[in-house]
Amino acid sequence: MIYKLLIKILLLFVISSCSTMGKVAKNTFIYGTEFYRAQPKIVTDNYPEHFNKTFYTGALFITDYNVWRIRIVSETDMTEFIDENQILVDLEYEFEFQDYRKTVPLIFESYELIETDDAELHAFDFAFSPEGRAFWLTFHNLMFEMKRPWFHYPMSPQLPLEMKRTVTSVEYNFVPDWGFLTLREFMDMFELNTDKKWDEFCFWNNYSYDDTSVCGEIQIEDDPDSRQESTTHADI
């Protein structure tokens, strides 16, 4: 019975995201997200990958900007820099072949020391400034009016070059129930990342950090005929 209900909800998600939008679609996303949240973890862990991707994407669409979080993981302790400087990030979406961008500051929330077998890493968690919510809300409303804007979720915190080199990853928590996801994990979980969108990210994006887990190693030689590159969808 639950399995049949789950399939029906998934179908509603897909139909809504592809055609109807508006209040009906938004309510469908809300209902589906609440249904998923109510399931025991032992149950959701056994869902097919496509199910989890669909539920994640539905939750992403309705999660408010104010609860978004971003994490910078670095080989060095950036505490002093964070205390003395403001870290900015660009919010950006595409709509009708135009780019819309707003730069907002990140608000430091917490620090964690992560011990691995090879090294100690420093994780810094940030919230997004409330001044960016109106910008996000414009995108959000366009999406549920079936206008099909495209938000650039993988964002790059703006840091000095020497500090960027020590950053091992930037992680994104857009849906609190799912926690922080690496770039690769987010790209995999976001259902609307078609092959075309994935390729656009790899070849046209302004991502400032290591994207080899998504794009593979790309090497460009002086001779265009000798250009070598790995497959776009890196199997890491």
Side-chain angles (χ1 to χ4, degrees):
M1 181 68 180
I2 291 179
Y3 191 79
K4 290 181 178 179
L5 177 60
L6 181 57
I7 293 176
K8 289 181 181 179
I9 293 172
L10 285 168
L11 288 173
L12 283 172
F13 266 48
V14 173
I15 291 170
S16 296
S17 63
C18 292
S19 60
T20 58
M21 285 303 179
K23 289 185 178 179
V24 174
K26 189 170 184 177
N27 288 337
T28 300
F29 291 138
I30 292 171
Y31 177 74
T33 299
E34 291 176 349
F35 174 86
Y36 186 93
R37 186 179 293 132
Q39 305 308 305
K41 189 175 186 300
I42 192 172
V43 173
T44 57
D45 284 348
N46 289 311
Y47 284 166
E49 181 183 3
H50 177 67
F51 281 27
N52 285 322
K53 290 171 65 173
T54 301
F55 278 113
Y56 176 82
T57 302
L60 174 66
F61 286 161
I62 61 171
T63 300
D64 193 274
Y65 165 91
N66 285 339
V67 302
W68 288 5
R69 296 295 183 269
I70 189 169
R71 170 178 290 174
I72 302 174
V73 181
S74 174
E75 296 172 342
T76 60
D77 187 348
M78 302 191 304
T79 302
E80 184 176 350
F81 177 85
I82 293 172
D83 287 342
E84 298 176 357
N85 298 272
Q86 194 174 59
I87 298 178
L88 303 176
V89 69
D90 288 335
L91 307 177
E92 184 177 1
Y93 67 87
E94 297 174 27
F95 177 56
E96 294 184 343
F97 305 106
Q98 293 191 32
D99 292 333
Y100 297 84
R101 183 181 296 108
K102 182 175 179 62
T103 303
V104 299
L106 296 175
I107 302 172
F108 175 67
E109 286 195 331
S110 63
Y111 163 80
E112 179 183 357
L113 182 64
I114 302 174
E115 295 188 5
T116 69
D117 292 337
D118 301 323
E120 289 186 341
L121 298 176
H122 306 265
F124 302 87
D125 294 354
F126 300 84
F128 291 80
S129 169
E131 67 188 68
R133 188 176 184 277
F135 179 85
W136 167 82
L137 194 58
T138 299
F139 158 80
H140 181 77
N141 291 337
L142 286 170
M143 183 181 65
F144 282 104
E145 291 170 3
M146 200 183 167
K147 302 295 186 181
R148 299 187 181 278
W150 179 264
F151 198 93
H152 294 275
Y153 288 101
M155 296 171 241
S156 300
Q158 298 175 17
L159 292 172
L161 181 59
E162 64 273 13
M163 198 160 288
K164 281 184 180 180
R165 290 171 176 160
T166 71
V167 172
T168 60
S169 68
V170 177
E171 301 175 3
Y172 308 93
N173 186 348
F174 297 121
V175 184
D177 291 340
W178 293 79
F180 283 98
L181 302 181
T182 64
L183 175 64
R184 176 67 191 228
E185 289 169 338
F186 173 78
M187 295 286 283
D188 280 336
M189 289 300 295
F190 187 29
E191 183 108 56
L192 300 187
N193 261 335
T194 62
D195 287 346
K196 179 181 178 182
K197 287 296 184 184
W198 199 300
D199 289 342
E200 287 177 356
F201 172 82
C202 289
F203 291 101
W204 303 110
N205 79 92
N206 295 316
Y207 196 72
S208 301
Y209 298 92
D210 184 11
D211 60 6
T212 54
S213 66
V214 169
C215 304
E217 296 284 353
I218 299 177
Q219 296 180 340
I220 300 177
E221 307 293 342
D222 291 337
D223 180 2
D225 294 333
S226 66
R227 188 170 74 112
Q228 297 180 345
E229 61 187 45
S230 68
T231 56
T232 301
H233 295 223
D235 294 325
I236 302 297

